[in-house]
């Protein structure tokens, strides 16, 4: 009976112990802790299943040799870890608490950090008998420590860089909390002298706007940028390009202001000098432009006076001839007053002189664009055909006159007498450009405003007088419509023909253009508005 009672008593204790061991193993597994025991006199190493799991092996208790542990150590840590262990169990060390950290390599090649802690049991003479301890996987801890070390190094590097920069940190009352070595170099004040001082008082700062407005912008927008004038410790003024950035605490309240400075004194001075130089240059340019305009005005006045002189000379010559004809006719009439036939002949001569004088006046008015025009619809085809008949009789036998007009051309609007005079003048110029003879071509066609000299709106009849003569170079072409400019001898041309034709065309609401090149002849084009539409300029 006693044996049965003892067995009954042992069973609950055994069950409780099993439960406790299971709990311990669970805690060890969760905490990544593995137990070990080393019998130093036999060299036997007892390893728990949790220990073996930390080594990356099957989680089952094993008994192994000391060399098996050595083989798992990382090659870089192997010598040191074994030396530390052997020194700890030496008889003369007296160590009872053993601890060290090292790396192992699992069968899968994974590197793990192990923290080993144990108690060393010793005999009375100090001989180490047994080592009982635990392994803890501290790989994550080491990784965290490495990351922290990297972050700390980066932070130290950042702080060193920040210290090199010209940076100041102040509180919201303006007292300096941080003063970098860059500020020391730039402004002359040491960190010990600057800290605790109000920045704007220390630097005697002049602000581009009231200081409260700058602070208000900082609170509203979080930053402010602008130029400040501050004083170096030696009292010399400096222009500092400044950026202020507001820092808030975790509750969102303003806590500090970080300010960075850049010395732009020389740059701003150079800019001011450049602006002054530009202003001076603008004044000199303005004065030079005014001087040249005055010279041009005087030159233009002299040219006008010269032109008026030439015009007056030409008019005087023509009028003297006309007056001479009138005087001669009057004298003859006085002598033959009793001869009606001769009196009538002289009266015809007088009328011719009057008509010539009227023609001279008409040409001058056309040149001045002041002539009275009587615009009527004109059939371009009929007009050019009539002119062809006249020109064939007047140009000479060495010259031919052709007309090219498409059918259905609408009538143009112009003063017929003035237009005929202009076309005859152009035809005579064409003849003079062909001293060996040639063909003068008269043509007409319909064109839109985009092709006209001035681009005036509406439709136009383009009349052209073309020769196959010597043509003109660019220099001559550029001046050919200038009043009194002519390539003909004095007795053959006055230089008013083309200017008068141009003035007539523009007064009629159109324009004139010339196309010419040496050896390729010349074409003079007159644009005149189509009848029935509003011209760009009113005629009359």
């Amino acid at each position: 009976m006693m044996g049965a009672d003892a067995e009954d008593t042992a069973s609950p204790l055994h069950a409780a112990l099993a439960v406790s061991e299971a709990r311990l193993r669970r805690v060890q597994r969760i905490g990544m802790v593995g137990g070990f025991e080393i019998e130093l006199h036999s060299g036997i190493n007892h390893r728990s299943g949790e220990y073996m799991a930390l080594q990356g092996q099957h989680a089952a208790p094993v008994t192994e040799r000391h060399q098996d542990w050595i083989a798992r150590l990382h090659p870089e840590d192997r010598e040191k870890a074994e030396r530390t262990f052997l020194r700890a169990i030496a008889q003369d060390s007296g160590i009872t608490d053993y601890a060290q950290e090292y790396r192992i390599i699992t069968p899968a090649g994974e590197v793990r950090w192990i923290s080993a802690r144990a108690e060393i049991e010793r005999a009375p003479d100090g001989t180490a008998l047994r080592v009982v301890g635990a392994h803890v996987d501290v790989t994550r801890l080491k990784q965290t420590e490495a990351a922290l070390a990297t972050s700390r190094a980066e932070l130290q590097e950042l702080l060193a860089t920040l210290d090199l920069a010209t940076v100041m940190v102040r509180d919201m009352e303006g007292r300096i909390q941080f003063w970098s070595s860059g500020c020391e170099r730039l402004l002359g004040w040491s960190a010990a002298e600057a800290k605790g001082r109000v920045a704007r008082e220390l630097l005697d700062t002049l602000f581009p706007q009231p200081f409260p407005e700058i602070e208000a912008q900082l609170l509203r927008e979080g930053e402010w940028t602008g130029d400040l004038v501050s004083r170096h410790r030696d009292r010399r003024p400096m222009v500092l390009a400044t950026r202020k950035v507001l820092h808030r605490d975790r509750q969102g309240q303003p806590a500090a202001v970080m300010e960075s400075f850049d010395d732009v004194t020389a740059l701003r001075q150079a800019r001011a000098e450049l602006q002054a130089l530009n202003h001076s240059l603008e004044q000199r340019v303005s004065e030079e432009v005014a001087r040249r305009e005055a010279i041009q005005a005087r030159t233009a006045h002299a040219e006008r006076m010269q032109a008026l002189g030439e015009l007056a000379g030409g008019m005087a010559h023509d009028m003297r001839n006309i007056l001479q004809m009138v005087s001669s006719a009057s004298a003859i009439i006085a002598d033959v007053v009793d001869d009606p036939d001769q009196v009538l002949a002289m009266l015809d001569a007088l009328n011719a002189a009057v008509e010539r004088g009227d023609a001279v006046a008409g040409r001058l008015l056309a040149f001045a664009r002041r002539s009275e025009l009587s615009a009527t619809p004109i059939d371009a085809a009929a007009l050019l055909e009539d002119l062809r008949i006249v020109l064939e009789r007047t140009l000479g036998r060495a010259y031919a006159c052709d007309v090219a007009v498409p059918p259905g051309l609408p009538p143009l609007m112009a003063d017929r007498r003035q237009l005929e005079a202009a076309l005859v003048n152009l035809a005579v110029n064409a003849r003079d450009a062909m001293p060996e003879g040639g063909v003068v071509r008269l043509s007409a066609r319909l064109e839109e405003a985009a092709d006209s000299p001035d681009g005036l709106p509406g439709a136009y009849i383009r009349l052209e007088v073309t020769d196959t003569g010597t043509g003109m170079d660019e220099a001559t072409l550029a001046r050919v419509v200038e009043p009194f400019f002519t390539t003909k001898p004095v007795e053959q041309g006055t230089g008013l023909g083309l200017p008068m034709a141009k003035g007539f065309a523009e007064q009629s609401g159109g324009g004139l253009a010339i196309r010419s090149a040496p050896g390729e002849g010349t074409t003079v084009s007159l644009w005149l508005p189509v009848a029935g539409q509003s011209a760009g300029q009113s005629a009359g």
Side-chain angles (χ1 to χ4, degrees):
M1 293 294 292
M2 290 182 60
D5 290 341
E7 184 179 350
D8 292 342
T9 303
S11 296
L13 291 174
H14 186 272
L17 180 60
V19 171
S20 179
E21 289 178 350
R23 289 175 177 170
L24 178 60
R25 286 194 299 272
R26 184 180 182 186
V27 170
Q28 289 179 341
R29 185 172 65 255
I30 295 173
M32 304 182 74
V33 178
F36 66 93
E37 180 178 340
I38 304 173
E39 299 289 346
L40 294 176
H41 66 279
S42 64
I44 297 175
N45 290 251
H46 300 281
R47 314 294 191 188
S48 70
E50 289 74 23
Y51 179 102
M52 298 308 295
L54 291 181
Q55 309 296 309
Q57 303 188 44
H58 181 62
V62 299
T63 299
E64 60 181 10
R65 298 172 303 154
H66 178 71
Q67 293 302 320
D68 296 326
W69 170 69
I70 296 297
R72 289 192 295 269
L73 293 174
H74 193 286
E76 296 178 2
D77 297 348
R78 186 172 295 159
E79 181 181 350
K80 177 183 177 183
E82 184 177 19
R83 185 173 63 249
T84 301
F85 176 76
L86 293 177
R87 187 169 59 244
I89 64 175
Q91 184 176 2
D92 60 351
S93 72
I95 295 174
T96 58
D97 291 328
Y98 163 76
Q100 75 162 319
E101 293 179 348
Y102 50 79
R103 289 171 292 175
I104 66 168
I105 299 178
T106 69
E110 180 185 359
V111 177
R112 293 182 182 179
W113 276 94
I114 300 297
S115 175
R117 292 185 176 276
E119 291 183 354
I120 302 175
E121 298 178 7
R122 295 182 180 273
D125 63 353
T127 302
L129 303 174
R130 182 181 296 104
V131 179
V132 180
H135 277 190
V136 179
D137 186 345
V138 293
T139 304
R140 292 184 179 176
L141 177 62
K142 289 293 184 179
Q143 291 172 345
T144 302
E145 289 177 349
L148 288 175
T150 301
S151 298
R152 189 178 297 110
E154 292 175 350
L155 180 59
Q156 291 296 331
E157 184 179 351
L158 178 61
L159 289 175
T161 303
L162 187 64
D163 191 51
L164 290 174
T166 312
V167 176
M168 172 192 76
V169 178
R170 63 172 176 85
D171 61 20
M172 298 310 297
E173 284 71 40
R175 290 187 296 271
I176 298 172
Q177 305 297 313
F178 173 78
W179 186 261
S180 71
S181 60
C183 285
E184 292 182 346
R185 290 191 300 273
L186 179 66
L187 297 167
W189 300 92
S190 69
E193 294 170 326
K195 286 182 180 179
R197 299 281 299 274
V198 176
R200 60 183 181 275
E201 296 176 356
L202 175 70
L203 303 177
D204 194 16
T205 303
L206 293 176
F207 296 93
Q209 63 191 94
F211 180 71
E213 293 183 6
I214 295 177
E215 293 292 283
Q217 181 177 338
L218 263 176
L219 294 174
R220 184 175 62 254
E221 301 180 9
E223 64 178 85
W224 180 89
T225 302
D227 284 357
L228 303 178
V229 179
S230 298
R231 290 191 178 275
H232 190 272
R233 186 174 182 178
D234 60 11
R235 304 307 296 166
R236 58 188 167 88
M238 304 176 65
V239 181
L240 303 179
T242 306
R243 184 167 185 255
K244 300 172 180 283
V245 178
L246 179 67
H247 171 68
R248 296 181 181 272
D249 58 23
R250 293 183 178 180
Q251 289 72 40
Q253 297 301 313
V257 177
M258 185 177 75
E259 302 186 15
S260 63
F261 307 115
D262 188 15
D263 183 6
V264 294
T265 306
L267 179 62
R268 297 298 185 261
Q269 182 177 356
R271 180 186 295 176
E273 292 174 354
L274 179 60
Q275 289 176 345
L277 179 62
N278 287 339
H279 180 68
S280 174
L281 180 61
E282 289 174 357
Q283 285 185 326
R284 292 199 298 271
V285 169
S286 178
E287 292 171 357
E288 179 63 20
V289 169
R291 186 182 70 84
R292 293 191 178 188
E293 288 179 347
I295 292 174
Q296 291 175 354
R298 290 195 296 271
T299 301
H301 178 71
E303 290 176 350
R304 286 195 297 270
M305 294 304 294
Q306 180 181 359
L308 287 174
E310 294 177 359
L311 180 60
M315 289 180 61
H317 177 73
D318 285 347
M319 295 309 296
R320 182 178 292 111
N321 290 338
I322 293 170
L323 291 175
Q324 186 175 359
M325 291 176 60
V326 171
S327 177
S328 297
S330 299
I332 293 173
I333 289 174
D335 292 337
V336 295
V337 67
D338 295 328
D339 187 346
D341 293 336
Q342 290 198 29
V343 170
L344 291 175
M346 290 302 101
L347 288 176
D348 291 338
L350 288 173
N351 288 331
V354 171
E355 290 179 357
R356 183 174 178 183
D358 182 65
V360 170
R363 287 196 298 272
L364 291 173
L365 288 173
F367 167 65
R369 304 181 190 177
R370 295 287 302 275
S371 60
E372 294 293 330
L373 300 181
S374 178
T376 58
I378 299 173
D379 183 344
L383 172 69
L384 296 185
E385 183 60 30
D386 291 343
L387 284 176
R388 183 187 67 78
I389 297 172
V390 173
L391 292 173
E392 283 184 342
R393 298 173 181 171
T394 57
L395 294 180
R397 294 181 178 180
Y399 301 92
C401 184
D402 290 343
V403 173
V405 180
L409 200 65
L412 60 87
M413 197 72 178
D415 185 301
R416 186 181 185 93
R417 186 166 62 91
Q418 293 285 355
L419 177 57
E420 288 176 346
L423 291 173
V424 169
N425 197 341
L426 295 177
V428 171
N429 286 345
R431 179 201 64 187
D432 294 342
M434 300 182 293
E436 303 300 326
V439 178
V440 177
R441 176 176 290 270
L442 306 178
S443 63
R445 63 176 180 270
L446 179 66
E447 289 196 354
E448 294 299 323
D451 299 314
S452 69
D454 298 321
L456 298 174
Y460 294 82
I461 299 299
R462 179 174 179 174
L463 301 174
E464 289 187 339
V465 178
T466 303
D467 65 62
T468 56
T470 56
M472 294 177 282
D473 57 24
E474 292 185 2
T476 303
L477 192 61
R479 299 190 58 194
V480 72
V481 293
E482 292 181 9
F484 307 110
F485 176 81
T486 180
T487 59
K488 299 178 182 180
V490 176
E491 65 276 5
Q492 293 185 16
T494 63
L496 290 175
L498 282 172
M500 287 190 295
K502 186 174 186 294
F504 158 72
E506 291 176 353
Q507 188 177 357
S508 300
L512 178 142
I514 303 174
R515 183 176 68 254
S516 184
E520 297 182 8
T522 300
T523 297
V524 181
S525 301
L526 290 174
W527 275 265
L528 296 169
V530 171
Q533 69 173 7
S534 176
Q537 288 179 271
S538 61

